[in-house]
Amino acid sequence: MKYCSDCGASVTLRIPPGDTLPRHVCPSCGTIHYQNPKVVVGAIPEWGERILLCRRAIEPRHGFWTLPAGFMENAESTAEAAARETLEEACARIEVGDLFTLISVPHINQVHIVYRARLLDLEFGPGEESLEVALFEEKDIPWDDIAFRTIALTLRHYFEDRRRGSFGTHNASIALPPMATIP
């Protein structure tokens, strides 16, 4: 951040009085600009023994498979975000169920939330951000082509819970991969 969104003056990075972290502060109007993690919300759309996955038509990870998910918008609940993202990416209508995973991804300042969901019908197809959409049984999941570690972890928990016959809520944190650097 270079300029104050309130008055347009140049901002400085410093620790404001009473705080413990550096913030962008406007020396002209005094506004403190807090930058907080982004929330990514998605769903595991279920139809019998199969789940719906989308193959990404956008970066990052173009061409890889994921659950329908995306950034939460202002003025919506996390469940509403899951339903909206599923409709946008897979043209699928869902009934949002229980919270399934809550995964912190601190090195990219994100929190990923995924709900279990029930597909309301079999009318689905690729939205603008998807190349294709398909239902998969566990044995057919393209594990080597899953776009994100949070999605792979969510799917592993899902299939483990399903085999056990009892679904829980899973909370995790994904660290920066070894030898990786943040661009």
Side-chain angles (χ1 to χ4, degrees), residues 97-173:
D98 292 333
L99 174 65
F100 187 67
T101 55
L102 174 64
I103 304 172
S104 297
V105 194
H107 65 278
I108 56 172
N109 304 316
Q110 293 180 1
V111 176
H112 294 199
I113 297 170
V114 179
Y115 287 90
R116 286 184 61 211
R118 184 178 65 83
L119 277 171
L120 296 177
D121 52 52
L122 289 176
E123 294 182 24
F124 58 82
E128 283 200 28
E129 296 180 1
S130 299
L131 296 169
E132 63 181 302
V133 179
L135 287 169
F136 288 88
E137 292 183 18
E138 180 179 6
K139 66 181 179 59
D140 299 320
I141 297 290
W143 291 106
D144 291 338
D145 293 324
I146 296 298
F148 307 107
R149 292 187 300 154
T150 54
I151 299 304
L153 180 60
T154 294
L155 291 173
R156 285 187 190 95
H157 283 310
Y158 175 82
F159 291 118
E160 288 169 9
D161 284 7
R162 191 168 79 179
R163 277 190 292 282
R164 199 173 42 249
S166 175
F167 288 94
T169 302
H170 302 272
N171 187 356
S173 183

Side-chain angles (χ1 to χ4, degrees), residues 42-113:
I44 304 170
E46 304 167 329
W47 186 266
E49 295 293 309
R50 299 178 295 169
I51 62 167
L52 191 69
L53 295 178
C54 304
R55 197 158 67 92
R56 293 177 58 82
I58 60 172
E59 293 295 346
R61 309 292 286 162
H62 180 276
F64 285 78
W65 291 92
T66 188
L67 292 167
F71 291 109
M72 183 176 176
E73 298 290 350
N74 290 333
E76 70 182 352
S77 70
T78 54
E80 290 168 338
R84 177 186 52 75
E85 285 293 340
T86 303
L87 187 60
E88 287 178 4
E89 294 186 7
C91 301
R93 296 178 323 113
I94 58 172
E95 177 184 312
V96 177
D98 292 333
L99 174 65
F100 187 67
T101 55
L102 174 64
I103 304 172
S104 297
V105 194
H107 65 278
I108 56 172
N109 304 316
Q110 293 180 1
V111 176
H112 294 199
I113 297 170

